[in-house]
């Protein structure tokens, strides 16, 4: 089972690849839209990449609830659990 | 009992010539932003679109098609009398019947070529190329004219933030004819009717006109689109279809010269290219920035531009992929004429 930090680090790598955001900036308290400038289309890309990487399903309806990196990490942890 | 003779077709088919018609009026983002309370920066960031072309009153579906077709036929080195089938892909010929293809065939001066329309929205042109290839190889016709044409402004709601800045008008045409070597790979195509509502006209004509008990809306049934689910489907599911089309044709990524996806949105094009892991050596069509999304016309318009600018050369190997309302999609590898 991956730790919270491992999931955050993997997610940071994805966000870096999709949106060019410095992976070190992708911390749990950061908002995708307000802090990291990840717009809704980039968010779709992040979600699809995360689904593949973590072997989870993140429905469209759920994506709008994932406001911060922490929200996304928590969702992935629950979905993997 | 009588013996029915079968038709004899060509061993293979290829695209012999491409033509395009771009409407004369260039519309910058500044002209569309007020009605959708948006900005040039927002539109460019979301779509990569800087300008689009919108047809004027005289630039009808038929007129644009005929102009593009004449160029394609000339570049194919053919006389119009040699065209014996005309397939027109469009969703914006606003007469349900007859097909605009018959009027186009007549105005071009074909000798009563078989002519019909196909309705496969943004994927229509690649459906048409697949049909044309099969028609030529089966012997049902020798030279097939495939037209992708749209006048989407007729069904566009200029106040809809999801569509008004995206869609545009234009026509592209290709002539498909016999070949000694394969010039059009196997089509990979399909549909997902579960997502019928993602891109659609808001209502049908009965809702517009109304009935004895239900008054009609009296409003043109505009095009609507749910952007994010479409983005997800197009960027990822379609990247896999593109790979399947390459595999079916036995062409590796390293052998691919040109990638011509439906010009839906620059973000989709970029995401597809990343998802497919296209090598840097592959030239990618990015006509959407100047032309907007012209639905069925986008693939031939984009290919025509790449040929004109020397980005695609005769003999190059190109992957065409188109996708849209239905949802429906079609992809094939072709040799650039």
């Amino acid at each position: 089972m991956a730790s919270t930090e491992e999931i955050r680090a993997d997610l940071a790598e994805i966000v870096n690849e999709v949106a060019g955001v410095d992976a070190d900036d992708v911390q749990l308290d950061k908002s995708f839209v307000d802090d990291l400038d990840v717009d809704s289309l980039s968010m779709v890309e992040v979600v699809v990449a995360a689904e593949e990487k973590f072997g989870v399903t993140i429905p469209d309806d759920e994506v709008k609830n994932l406001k911060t990196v922490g929200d996304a990490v928590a969702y992935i942890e629950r979905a993997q659990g | 009992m009588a013996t029915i003779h079968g038709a004899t077709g060509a061993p293979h088919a290829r695209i012999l010539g491409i033509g395009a018609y771009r409407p004369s009026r260039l519309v910058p983002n500044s002209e569309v932003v007020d009605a959708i309370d948006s900005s040039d920066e927002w539109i460019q960031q979301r779509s990569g679109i800087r300008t689009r072309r919108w047809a004027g009153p005289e630039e009808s579906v038929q007129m644009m098609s005929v102009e593009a077709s004449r160029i394609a036929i000339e570049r194919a080195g053919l006389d119009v009398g040699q065209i014996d089938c005309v397939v027109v892909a469009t969703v914006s010929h606003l007469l349900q019947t007859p097909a605009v293809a018959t009027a186009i065939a007549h105005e071009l001066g074909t000798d009563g070529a078989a002519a019909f329309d196909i309705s496969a929205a943004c994927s229509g042109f690649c459906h048409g190329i697949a049909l044309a290839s099969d028609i030529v190889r089966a012997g049902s016709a020798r030279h097939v004219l495939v037209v992708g044409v749209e006048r989407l402004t007729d069904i566009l709601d200029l106040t809809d933030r999801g569509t008004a800045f995206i869609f545009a008008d234009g026509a592209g045409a290709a002539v498909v004819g016999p070949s000694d070597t394969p010039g059009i790979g196997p089509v990979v195509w399909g549909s997902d009717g579960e997502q019928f509502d993602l891109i659609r006209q808001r209502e049908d004509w009965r809702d517009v006109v109304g009935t004895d008990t239900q008054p009609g809306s009296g409003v043109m049934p505009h095009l609507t689109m749910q952007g994010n689910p479409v983005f997800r489907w197009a960027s990822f599911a379609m990247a896999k279809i593109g790979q399947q089309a390459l595999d079916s044709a036995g062409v590796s990524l390293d052998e691919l010269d040109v990638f011509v996806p439906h010009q839906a949105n620059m973000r989709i094009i970029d995401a597809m290219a990343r998802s497919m892991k296209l090598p840097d050596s592959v030239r990618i069509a990015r006509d959407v920035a100047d032309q907007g999304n012209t639905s069925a016309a986008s693939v031939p318009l984009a290919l025509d531009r790449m040929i004109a600018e020397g980005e695609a050369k005769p003999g190059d190997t190109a992957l065409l992929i188109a996708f849209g309302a239905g949802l429906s999609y079609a992809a094939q590898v072709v040799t650039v004429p």
Side-chain angles (χ1 to χ4, degrees), chain B residues 7-9 84-85 114 134-142 144:
Chain B
T8 307
D84 47 5
C85 181
D134 291 353
I135 286 169
V136 168
R137 291 186 306 127
S140 304
R142 189 158 172 83
V144 182

Side-chain angles (χ1 to χ4, degrees), chain B residues 249-278:
Chain B
V251 171
S252 71
L253 280 176
D254 292 335
E255 293 171 309
L256 186 64
D257 300 305
V258 180
F259 178 49
V260 191
H262 166 47
Q263 301 290 294
N265 178 322
M266 198 70 86
R267 298 284 293 272
I268 291 175
I269 296 169
D270 288 338
M272 284 182 86
R274 265 200 299 276
S275 191
M276 288 185 69
K277 300 187 167 50
L278 291 183

Side-chain angles (χ1 to χ4, degrees), chain A residues 18 39-42 44-45 47-48 51-52 58 60, chain B residues 45-46 227-229 231-232 236 240 265 267 271 274:
Chain A
V18 168
D39 70 13
S40 69
L41 296 185
S42 292
V44 172
E45 284 195 68
V47 162
V48 172
E51 286 183 337
E52 280 181 15
I58 310 175
D60 284 332
Chain B
Q45 199 236 334
R46 301 283 296 186
N228 284 3
F231 178 80
R232 180 177 182 140
F236 299 97
K240 293 191 176 82
N265 178 322
R267 298 284 293 272
R274 265 200 299 276

Side-chain angles (χ1 to χ4, degrees), chain B residues 3 47 50 68 74 96 107-109 155 174 189 219 221 226 288 318:
Chain B
T3 303
S47 69
R50 297 186 295 253
E74 189 193 325
Q96 263 174 306
E107 190 179 339
L108 283 170
I155 55 170
W189 57 0
V219 175
Q226 297 175 42
V288 67

